[in-house]
Amino acid sequence: MSKIIFNEHQQRVLEANPNVASVSDRAIQYTPEFKIHALKDNLAGKGPAQIFIENGFDLTVIGSKKATSSLNRGGRRIERMEKMASLKSVVEKAVPAAPPPKISQRRKSWRKRNHALNTWKQKMSC
């Protein structure tokens, strides 16, 4: 959690920025569009401070560490998502999908459930 505590005036200034979804006394939530835009700019070679200044943030208010840490967090999320996607594709290739159950199997299991439910209802009504 951040050591910076935003006062009410700073919170109002931050909320006025179109790239901010919400602000609390310690945290800023950015819009999804800004997150994507900032990560693309960062991958293109722009620094965190430059990205935040160009998008209307005052680094004296939010702190330069907040800009850097938010982009690092987003980059780590992307890396995790890429790893999960690659693992999923490996698993899908290695393990073929099971065929859907036959209709007769579905009917049998449905009949068993209904029978169990009816038996339970009869026991409860006695």
Side-chain angles (χ1 to χ4, degrees), residues 29-65:
Q29 289 187 334
Y30 306 101
T31 61
E33 296 82 18
F34 173 70
K35 291 177 185 179
I36 294 168
H37 174 71
L39 285 171
K40 285 181 180 178
D41 283 353
N42 189 248
L43 291 172
K46 287 186 181 179
Q50 182 183 1
I51 294 168
F52 275 72
I53 290 170
E54 287 176 357
N55 286 285
F57 290 97
D58 183 3
L59 292 184
T60 58
V61 173
I62 66 170
S64 60
K65 283 187 176 182

Side-chain angles (χ1 to χ4, degrees), residues 38-39 42 47-48 51-52 66-76:
L39 285 171
N42 189 248
I51 294 168
F52 275 72
K66 187 154 311 253
T68 304
S69 66
S70 66
L71 286 177
N72 288 340
R73 226 178 7 257
R76 287 192 306 267

Side-chain angles (χ1 to χ4, degrees), residues 108-123:
K108 286 178 185 177
S109 63
W110 183 252
R111 286 182 186 147
K112 286 181 183 178
R113 285 188 205 125
N114 279 341
H115 179 70
L117 181 62
N118 291 333
T119 305
W120 181 78
K121 286 180 181 178
Q122 288 174 356
K123 287 181 182 178

